[in-house]
Amino acid sequence: MNTAEQIKQFLNFLQPKLGQEVHVGPWLNIDQQRIDQFAAVTGDQQWIHIDPERAEKESPYGSTIAHGYLTLSLLPYLTESNHPDFFQNNYPGMKYRVNYGLNRVRFPAPVKVGANIRARTTIKSVEEVKNAVQICYLMTIEIEGEDKPACSAEFLARLYP
């Protein structure tokens, strides 16, 4: 099968899934150790993230909170896209995927230390681009027991046959 045929077949596989939630990931607890490790790696040492005593007294949240970029960086885990079976189950006929970028990233609610978060994934759009298929996923990271999500982002992936 040639590239054009593979792309057409894959587009036909995805079209019925447009607008549908295609995955709900596992809950992940955000503990202080994870927040501290992220702070150390990124150099973001703001007290609201790494000083539990001060955050309890001075923060409007009453505790430390995760960095927004920490929450965003957990998408591969939260979507289980690193699982060995993920690629074949979700991208039949494709050889590889590249992360193309993000659109409209927002952090509507803070993730307090000790909170559980998980990602919900909906396919927003699919299109053929430069001998590949581009998928736009709407990723929503929810906080257990909260009304507002921790993060909402449009994630763009390109898949190649």
Side-chain angles (χ1 to χ4, degrees):
M1 185 180 313
N2 67 35
T3 299
E5 292 170 333
Q6 287 174 301
I7 288 173
K8 183 174 172 81
Q9 184 177 9
F10 188 63
L11 286 169
N12 289 337
F13 170 76
L14 288 176
Q15 290 295 334
K17 298 178 182 192
L18 281 174
Q20 292 183 11
E21 185 173 82
V22 294
H23 188 266
V24 178
W27 288 109
L28 175 66
N29 182 264
I30 303 301
D31 61 18
Q32 190 62 49
Q33 180 180 0
R34 185 180 301 270
I35 294 170
D36 291 345
Q37 289 172 338
F38 188 83
V41 168
T42 62
D44 184 345
Q45 302 286 324
Q46 189 180 158
W47 65 266
I48 203 164
H49 303 302
I50 64 167
D51 189 338
E53 291 175 11
R54 183 174 177 189
E56 184 178 356
K57 293 175 189 168
E58 297 181 35
S59 164
Y61 311 112
S63 70
T64 54
I65 59 171
H67 306 72
Y69 287 134
L70 167 58
T71 304
L72 183 65
S73 73
L74 289 168
L75 277 174
Y77 176 85
L78 295 170
T79 60
E80 299 179 301
S81 60
N82 293 332
H83 189 279
D85 298 329
F86 180 86
F87 195 86
Q88 280 304 68
N89 291 339
N90 291 281
Y91 309 127
M94 304 308 270
K95 289 186 181 160
Y96 67 97
R97 178 190 79 185
V98 295
N99 298 337
Y100 190 67
L102 296 163
N103 293 336
R104 195 171 158 72
V105 177
R106 299 291 185 266
F107 303 104
V111 177
K112 296 178 186 178
V113 68
N116 293 315
I117 61 173
R118 71 176 173 187
R120 303 182 86 88
T121 305
T122 300
I123 297 179
K124 188 168 179 178
S125 66
V126 295
E127 63 182 320
E128 183 176 353
V129 290
K130 301 179 185 178
N131 293 319
V133 174
Q134 181 169 287
I135 305 173
C136 179
Y137 293 103
L138 174 59
M139 306 282 199
T140 304
I141 301 176
E142 64 182 346
I143 307 166
E144 189 173 36
E146 298 289 332
D147 293 331
K148 288 184 180 179
C151 179
S152 176
E154 293 177 0
F155 166 67
L156 302 174
R158 287 200 174 169
L159 292 113
Y160 295 87

